[in-house]
Amino acid sequence: MQRRRLSMQQTLQSEQDELARNHQVAQILDIVKDDATDNSLRIDVNSIGARSLAKAMWVNSCITCLDLSSNQLDDHAGKYIARILNRNNVLKKMELDNNQFGPMTCKGFGESLRINTSLTYLSLDSNPLMTKGCDAQPFTDFTNALKSNTTLNSVNLFRTGITPAGGRALSSALAENGAVLFVDIGHNSIDMCDMKKIAESLDGNLSAYDLRMRKKEEEDASALPRVLFLLT
């Protein structure tokens, strides 16, 4: 317990020191906390600054698109970023391409995507989520969260090191998901049979989505004459 408390104190001190050195990032974080930003935020930040940004996003209610791609952020920062979704139900799009996110990030999303009801697009393109010989459980935690998530409809997992075991976990999860319409799984080591299962799940979701949209259009069209009648 004492060791954990010391680690947390050191983490907090490093974040405070980083903001003291980087006044520009500190100013941006103040704006984020005050809800004085545009709906979209793109920021160049290091791993320590990203952890502070994640905490600032807990209380932000106006940013719907967050772009932290190509910052070479480490897996520790990725865990904090994933946990934004535990408290933030405004964010709809996260672009996190070309960083160094791995097992801790997967575990973080495995927790947050179970309860988040706002995110619709997540891109983890070109992050080493899995590596050969690594424990598949963190990635499985991530895929398991997709079974209960009902808002995420687009996931980019291009070139993320997904192993055959990871591919099996993903195909199994998507078979129980009715919301995801697009998944990019190119340049991974997923078995062909699991790629086929993933495609079948997405086709089924897309067909159901098209049916819902057609039904909504018909309902809207039938409601229009009644509205016109009330106006005349």
Side-chain angles (χ1 to χ4, degrees):
M1 190 69 178
Q2 186 175 359
R3 182 178 297 178
R4 183 181 179 185
R5 187 182 296 112
L6 179 60
S7 177
M8 291 176 64
Q9 290 174 345
Q10 290 174 339
T11 297
L12 181 60
Q13 186 62 54
S14 67
E15 292 168 7
Q16 292 173 344
D17 291 344
E18 173 61 25
L19 294 181
R21 285 192 298 268
N22 195 327
H23 298 294
Q24 183 177 8
V25 171
Q27 289 174 349
I28 292 174
L29 296 195
D30 286 339
I31 293 172
V32 170
K33 292 175 185 176
D34 292 339
D35 270 347
T37 62
D38 293 331
N39 291 339
S40 180
L41 176 65
R42 160 67 201 181
I43 181 172
D44 294 323
V45 65
N46 63 23
S47 295
I48 299 174
R51 299 201 305 261
S52 296
L53 172 63
K55 295 174 183 178
M57 287 294 297
W58 290 346
V59 296
N60 182 275
S61 60
C62 67
I63 295 174
T64 58
C65 177
L66 178 63
D67 183 357
L68 295 175
S69 57
S70 301
N71 276 309
Q72 293 300 306
L73 303 178
D74 63 27
D75 200 20
H76 190 201
K79 178 180 69 174
Y80 277 73
I81 292 165
R83 288 178 175 172
I84 290 173
L85 301 177
N86 285 339
R87 304 190 187 188
N88 184 308
N89 268 307
V90 176
L91 199 58
K92 295 182 180 298
K93 185 176 183 180
M94 297 182 80
E95 297 184 75
L96 307 174
D97 310 350
N98 293 302
N99 286 295
Q100 298 300 317
F101 299 154
M104 286 193 290
T105 304
C106 288
K107 190 172 181 61
F109 277 116
E111 297 169 359
S112 62
L113 289 176
R114 292 178 185 274
I115 59 175
N116 181 266
T117 57
S118 65
L119 196 72
T120 61
Y121 176 92
L122 174 63
S123 182
L124 292 163
D125 185 331
S126 301
N127 280 281
L129 301 183
M130 300 187 76
T131 56
K132 189 175 182 180
C134 74
D135 181 11
Q137 189 57 51
F139 186 78
T140 300
D141 291 341
F142 166 70
T143 60
N144 283 341
L146 299 179
K147 295 178 181 180
S148 56
N149 184 284
T150 59
T151 53
L152 192 63
N153 56 47
S154 184
V155 187
N156 186 352
L157 298 173
F158 182 84
R159 197 165 51 200
T160 51
I162 301 175
T163 64
R168 287 192 295 274
L170 181 61
S171 67
S172 176
L174 290 176
E176 299 182 39
N177 174 285
V180 176
L181 305 176
F182 174 83
V183 178
D184 191 338
I185 52 173
H187 282 254
N188 288 294
S189 300
I190 301 174
D191 290 338
M192 187 61 68
C193 62
D194 288 312
M195 293 178 68
K196 182 179 179 181
K197 291 177 183 177
I198 290 170
E200 290 172 350
S201 295
L202 296 179
D203 285 344
N205 289 354
L206 187 57
S207 296
Y209 174 80
D210 288 341
L211 184 62
R212 289 196 302 271
M213 290 300 101
R214 285 199 299 271
K215 185 177 180 180
K216 185 177 184 302
E217 288 174 359
E218 292 171 359
E219 291 173 348
D220 291 344
S222 64
L224 185 59
R226 291 197 295 272
V227 173
L228 294 175
F229 174 76
L230 291 172
L231 292 174
T232 56

